[in-house]
Amino acid sequence: MNQAYEKSLNTDNNISLTGYRSLFLLLELLKSAKTREELLYCFSKDPIIKSNLSKDTVTNTINALKAAGCVISRPTQKTENKYVLKSHPFILRLSKENVQLLLAIRESIVTLGDWQLLINLNNLYAKIALLAPDWDSQRMLLYEHPFKYINSQIFSAVLLNSKLKKHLMICYNSPENGEENLIFTPEYITLENKKLYVWGFNKKYETFSYLRIDRIRKINYLNFLGSSPEYEDFDKQVIVAKYKLKGLSALMYVGETNEIILESNTNSEYPLTIEAHIDDKFNFIQRVLSYGSDCLIISPDEIKSDLLKYLEQMKSEYSK
């Protein structure tokens, strides 16, 4: 082993002290600009470097980092005699292929219906967007998501009040009635077909229903002070439905919290008979549709009627 190689090793842990000092100094400058004295102090407190070093060691280490591609300004009065790391070649950069993969991941998560996970992912992508190769890729990471048309302040107000169970005065752009003012008590939020919905009690129509959050134009009044006597607590309408399952759907059935198995008979054409207590007809019908021809609705008639309407709409789309 030659002498130069022996000098580059710490006999205790086989770490190249010169290389370690360079990485250590780079890490310190990434945290903040520092004077030569501050860097020497940091060196002395590190358990690997430990020893007090000369000012020339800082200069030599700075020069080594510059040779590796770092841009570090010299200490001046303007920088309070501090070294400032302006750029370095170790920044991660995404390719266009990486961006497309990230977009595909977000698109696949949309189908899970987990809006909270999607919001967290959007926040992560907002940071990752800084590493995008061009503006178009950055724009897609930042803005090409299902919530791009939703006012963040309106969403925050809806989310807060769904937790507090307080009343909102909402200006809503209804596809049937145009803009209308609604007194609405939000309960929970769902993600369906790439749209965010808030479910709750609609005082105007005396029903538990949903509003598309991107259609909420403004919230005129927030009642944080408690329930007003004129808007007393309501009894949520619950529909009791019964349906049967056969085939693979019966074998793979996993019950919801609001469902119970009334009958299980492996010798029957439909081995499972299930009772569901529904407060969200939309979700229930989507669930039933996922079973295809393995499912037979027994009751009530309103669920059968709604299901037939969905099937007719689907048929008309394919007949165009």
Side-chain angles (χ1 to χ4, degrees):
M1 185 180 292
N2 59 50
Q3 289 184 339
Y5 185 74
E6 288 179 334
K7 288 180 180 179
S8 70
L9 296 179
N10 181 310
T11 55
D12 292 331
N13 48 33
N14 287 341
I15 292 176
S16 168
L17 287 181
T18 301
Y20 181 85
R21 275 199 306 271
S22 298
L23 291 175
F24 182 86
L25 191 148
L26 176 62
L27 180 62
E28 290 300 323
L29 291 182
L30 281 169
K31 295 176 183 176
S32 64
K34 288 182 174 63
T35 64
R36 192 193 306 265
E37 289 70 22
E38 288 171 336
L39 288 171
L40 286 171
Y41 177 78
C42 292
F43 280 153
S44 68
K45 294 299 180 181
D46 182 72
I48 302 296
I49 301 173
K50 297 178 184 177
S51 58
N52 294 321
L53 300 172
S54 67
K55 294 182 179 180
D56 288 340
T57 302
V58 173
T59 303
N60 292 336
T61 308
I62 291 286
N63 290 336
L65 288 173
K66 287 181 177 179
C70 297
V71 177
I72 302 172
S73 67
R74 298 183 65 178
T76 63
Q77 287 185 345
K78 186 180 290 186
T79 64
E80 298 179 344
N81 292 320
K82 294 181 179 182
Y83 290 100
V84 179
L85 178 65
K86 294 190 173 181
S87 67
H88 61 83
F90 312 114
I91 299 174
L92 173 67
R93 288 294 177 191
L94 299 175
S95 67
K96 289 188 176 182
E97 290 76 15
N98 296 148
V99 172
Q100 289 302 317
L101 178 60
L102 290 170
L103 294 174
I105 291 172
R106 179 160 61 189
E107 190 67 21
S108 67
I109 287 176
V110 172
T111 62
L112 299 177
D114 189 336
W115 60 268
Q116 292 171 310
L117 175 60
L118 196 55
I119 286 176
N120 290 334
L121 193 68
N122 287 340
N123 291 336
L124 175 62
Y125 279 19
K127 298 176 181 179
I128 293 176
L130 298 173
L131 309 175
D134 51 49
W135 163 240
D136 190 52
S137 298
Q138 190 176 79
R139 179 188 60 78
M140 293 178 75
L141 287 169
L142 286 171
Y143 306 119
E144 291 304 313
H145 57 81
F147 306 157
K148 60 184 175 183
Y149 298 116
I150 292 176
N151 182 299
S152 60
Q153 291 181 325
I154 286 176
F155 176 77
S156 297
V158 168
L159 180 59
L160 174 62
N161 281 273
S162 66
K163 294 176 180 178
L164 297 175
K165 302 293 188 295
K166 300 299 181 183
H167 310 301
L168 300 179
M169 179 72 79
I170 287 175
C171 178
Y172 185 68
N173 183 22
S174 167
E176 294 85 14
N177 306 318
E179 286 198 0
E180 55 182 337
N181 291 319
L182 304 172
I183 296 171
F184 192 82
T185 309
E187 282 218 2
Y188 58 89
I189 295 170
T190 62
L191 175 63
E192 312 283 351
N193 297 323
K194 300 185 179 182
K195 302 293 183 184
L196 273 178
Y197 296 87
V198 56
W199 293 77
F201 183 69
N202 190 326
K203 178 66 177 176
K204 182 176 182 178
Y205 299 105
E206 293 292 328
T207 183
F208 188 83
S209 60
Y210 62 83
L211 302 177
R212 251 178 60 178
I213 295 179
D214 61 310
R215 288 186 170 275
I216 298 176
R217 293 293 172 257
K218 57 183 176 179
I219 296 175
N220 298 319
Y221 174 69
L222 301 180
N223 178 11
F224 289 108
L225 302 178
S227 299
S228 304
E230 57 186 302
Y231 309 132
E232 296 177 353
D233 291 339
F234 59 90
D235 292 324
K236 187 189 300 182
Q237 181 186 10
V238 176
I239 301 171
V240 178
K242 294 180 183 179
Y243 66 96
K244 292 177 178 286
L245 289 178
K246 67 177 180 178
L248 189 61
S249 297
L251 289 172
M252 302 294 291
Y253 170 76
V254 177
E256 298 282 308
T257 55
N258 61 340
E259 293 184 342
I260 57 173
I261 297 175
L262 296 178
E263 185 179 348
S264 178
N265 183 357
T266 55
N267 296 321
S268 173
E269 180 186 0
Y270 288 88
L272 292 183
T273 302
I274 299 156
E275 182 178 278
H277 293 245
I278 307 162
D279 58 22
D280 181 344
K281 279 203 299 184
F282 180 86
N283 277 342
F284 177 73
I285 289 174
Q286 294 298 310
R287 178 172 166 82
V288 166
L289 286 171
S290 71
Y291 293 135
S293 59
D294 283 351
C295 181
L296 176 66
I297 300 291
I298 303 172
S299 64
D301 290 338
E302 69 173 290
I303 294 294
K304 291 182 181 180
S305 177
D306 287 347
L307 182 60
L308 285 172
K309 287 179 184 177
Y310 273 95
L311 292 173
E312 288 293 339
Q313 289 173 0
M314 291 169 64
K315 183 181 178 180
S316 64
E317 286 296 320
Y318 284 105
S319 299
K320 289 180 181 179

